[in-house]
Amino acid sequence: MFKAFLIKYAEIGVKGKNRDIFEDALVQQIKYALKRCEGEFKVRRTKGRIYIDVLSDYDFEETVDNLKTVCGISAICPMVQLDDEGFDKLCEEVVNYVDKQYPDKNFTFKVHTRRARKNYPIESMEVNALVGEKILDAFPEISVDVHKPDVMIFIEIREHIYLYSIEIPGPGGMPVGTNGKAMLLLSGGIDSPVAGYMVAKRGVKIDAVYFHAPPYTSERAKQKVVDLARLVSRYSGPIYLYVVNFTEIQLAIYEKCPHEELTIIMRRYMMKIAEEIGKKTECLGLVTGESIGQVASQTVHSLAVTNEVCTMPVFRPCIGLDKQEIVDISEKIGTYETSIQPFEDCCTIFVAKHPVTKPNLNVIKRHEENLKDCIDEMMDRAVNTAELIVVEV
Ligand code: ATP
Ligand code: MG
């Protein structure tokens, strides 16, 4: 029944030249999402609107599911496309549509017409009134409410006439590719895939880095991170995932630094290496899944000490969220089930019984001195031997 879609987008701040960039990027991302769907589609941009024409048989559910992953889309409106065969025919089609779409007739409505084709013989206000009357005639139990209708019936008069009343929410935000690129520190947990999604939703392209510590972390733990990257890439587009072998550095820290400071020192090296790779790949910032107070290494004191090694801005989109709020987002974006698979990540193996919660930067730096003979060489090796996996859906 639906042979076209109207795509709505929200950001009101985008104007002028930026609007072109925004719309072009959105069209690109829509095409990328539609490539995953059965069927033939044409994406069109006219006068500040984006339409998708369906040119063949297609699977409605699959198409909508994929469009729901396109950042920048605020709503997806499935449209009935009609040829202009006179006004009576139009009224008949609208009545049919209402009957099919709303079997339960207990609602209020309003008709809203947009006459983009100015040579159409009836003005939009009149179309609203006349079509409204026909609906009321056909279904006396329905009533009009012009202020707060349950259902808005939109009629768009163009070359064809379009009819829609359903708005399926998209992720909102901005199309990926309109806001630079950042390096996501992606672990196998719940938080970092959510952080990646939240940054992608603001238009940022992402690369990712995973710190792998074989044999302490298994191949399956690595596979889980690849799987998570793939799930995030539904929203972000292809992700270049760098798998860094972190074992040597972790063992050196374990051997030479106080155990209660292990996590914090390890996190500082992770950030440094992520930044190093990020610089080479034109990333402008780092992204982590940290949230204030969630664990010892995420107290404000710990975050300050971790952050001290970075020269790039670090984006922490989960910073103010409670765990349950992060879980809710991960369920919504479909990463939760994968995140909770029980494979160790490298942090959980080298954790101390009583990690510091208020690390002192000077003390940490003094203890890092213990690594000075070997760390530069090991960092270089970690960066240079990183395995690149290109992940996409
Ligand atoms: P997550 O659920 O994202 O794993 P977490 O609650 O387990 O987070 P930590 O293990 O303290 O928290 O990690 C904090 C952040 O550091 C993560 O969100 C992630 O961005 C990064 N991180 C932790 N471990 C790794 C790793 N092995 N590889 C890449 N990034 C990591
Ligand atoms: Mg973790």
Side-chain angles (χ1 to χ4, degrees):
M1 149 157 159
F2 301 110
K3 294 299 277 180
F5 293 89
L6 168 66
I7 300 300
K8 292 192 172 171
Y9 48 86
E11 296 287 333
I12 42 172
V14 286
K15 297 203 184 92
K17 200 167 153 244
N18 284 339
R19 182 172 190 127
D20 274 350
I21 295 171
F22 182 98
E23 288 180 354
D24 279 345
L26 188 52
V27 167
Q28 284 309 315
Q29 296 303 323
I30 291 171
K31 287 182 177 166
Y32 177 71
L34 290 173
K35 264 197 218 151
R36 309 198 285 266
C37 306
E38 210 59 58
E40 209 187 317
F41 305 90
K42 188 173 169 216
V43 186
R44 282 189 294 132
R45 242 184 86 177
T46 42
K47 295 195 186 117
R49 304 208 132 197
I50 294 174
Y51 296 93
I52 301 169
D53 294 319
V54 182
L55 307 176
S56 66
D57 284 346
Y58 77 117
D59 181 333
F60 179 80
E61 298 293 333
E62 178 195 55
T63 305
V64 169
D65 277 352
N66 278 290
L67 289 173
K68 274 184 182 170
T69 67
V70 179
C71 300
I73 293 184
S74 65
I76 304 151
C77 309
M79 305 201 293
V80 173
Q81 180 183 314
L82 306 170
D83 291 327
D84 183 1
E85 294 172 325
F87 189 67
D88 289 344
K89 180 77 178 152
L90 172 61
C91 293
E92 198 180 300
E93 294 283 1
V94 179
V95 168
N96 271 341
Y97 171 86
V98 171
D99 197 21
K100 259 195 231 150
Q101 202 58 51
Y102 303 97
D104 177 9
K105 301 289 182 297
N106 186 19
F107 61 88
T108 60
F109 79 99
K110 174 184 174 177
V111 180
H112 185 276
T113 304
R114 201 172 136 154
R115 196 174 57 141
R117 174 154 62 83
K118 294 296 174 206
N119 70 0
Y120 193 76
I122 307 173
E123 281 189 14
S124 22
M125 294 297 272
E126 219 181 325
V127 175
N128 293 344
L130 294 171
V131 172
E133 237 168 72
K134 290 282 180 201
I135 295 173
L136 291 172
D137 286 349
F139 314 107
E141 59 275 47
I142 305 182
S143 56
V144 172
D145 181 344
V146 288
H147 301 296
K148 269 190 142 188
D150 299 326
V151 175
M152 277 285 270
I153 298 170
F154 292 93
I155 300 174
E156 284 213 8
I157 302 173
R158 299 176 175 269
E159 194 74 21
H160 295 284
I161 299 177
Y162 296 103
L163 194 61
Y164 69 94
S165 64
I166 306 167
E167 291 198 3
I168 302 162
M174 313 183 90
V176 172
T178 54
N179 229 327
K181 186 163 77 167
M183 178 62 80
L184 168 66
L185 283 85
L186 181 61
S187 70
I190 294 170
D191 309 328
S192 46
V194 168
Y197 159 77
M198 286 171 78
V199 168
K201 183 164 140 337
R202 298 306 301 165
V204 181
K205 193 166 164 37
I206 52 182
D207 283 347
V209 57
Y210 166 58
F211 296 92
H212 188 40
Y216 303 97
T217 54
S218 64
E219 275 306 300
R220 296 202 53 193
K222 173 176 152 188
Q223 185 56 45
K224 175 181 168 186
V225 173
V226 174
D227 293 345
L228 285 169
R230 184 163 295 117
L231 293 169
V232 174
S233 78
R234 280 170 58 83
Y235 297 91
S236 67
I239 295 179
Y240 282 44
L241 171 66
Y242 296 87
V243 179
V244 170
N245 187 321
F246 202 52
T247 312
E248 186 180 49
I249 294 176
Q250 227 168 1
L251 288 173
I253 301 172
Y254 194 69
E255 199 178 303
K256 297 189 168 146
C257 302
H259 285 189
E260 62 277 12
E261 290 170 1
L262 270 182
T263 311
I264 214 81
I265 294 176
M266 195 179 78
R267 304 229 5 96
R268 281 164 58 90
Y269 285 110
M270 281 187 184
M271 296 297 248
K272 272 194 203 180
I273 292 171
E275 184 169 292
E276 195 83 6
I277 299 175
K279 276 182 190 156
K280 291 187 185 181
T281 61
E282 293 175 351
C283 289
L284 300 171
L286 302 177
V287 182
T288 75
E290 291 158 313
S291 150
I292 293 175
Q294 199 187 78
V295 286
S297 59
Q298 295 176 30
T299 63
V300 170
H301 301 78
S302 298
L303 290 170
V305 171
T306 306
N307 205 73
E308 194 264 347
V309 297
C310 304
T311 61
M312 281 184 189
V314 182
F315 306 123
R316 299 177 169 92
C318 300
I319 200 72
L321 300 181
D322 297 343
K323 192 73 190 188
Q324 188 57 47
E325 292 173 303
I326 303 174
V327 166
D328 290 346
I329 300 174
S330 76
E331 284 179 331
K332 187 181 91 180
I333 64 172
T335 52
Y336 183 71
E337 289 303 322
T338 306
S339 287
I340 58 171
Q341 288 172 5
F343 306 117
E344 301 278 276
D345 71 20
C346 58
C347 312
T348 49
I349 288 175
F350 290 91
V351 282
K353 279 211 183 72
H354 302 289
V356 280
T357 52
K358 288 188 182 172
N360 175 298
L361 182 59
N362 292 327
V363 175
I364 297 282
K365 281 185 163 174
R366 199 173 334 121
H367 290 144
E368 284 178 353
E369 283 288 300
N370 299 348
L371 301 164
K372 71 172 186 299
D373 293 340
C374 58
I375 193 72
D376 288 346
E377 206 181 294
M378 291 193 298
M379 294 248 297
D380 284 348
R381 203 156 33 235
V383 170
N384 294 329
T385 61
E387 176 195 3
L388 170 61
I389 304 175
V390 180
V391 182
E392 58 188 317
V393 225

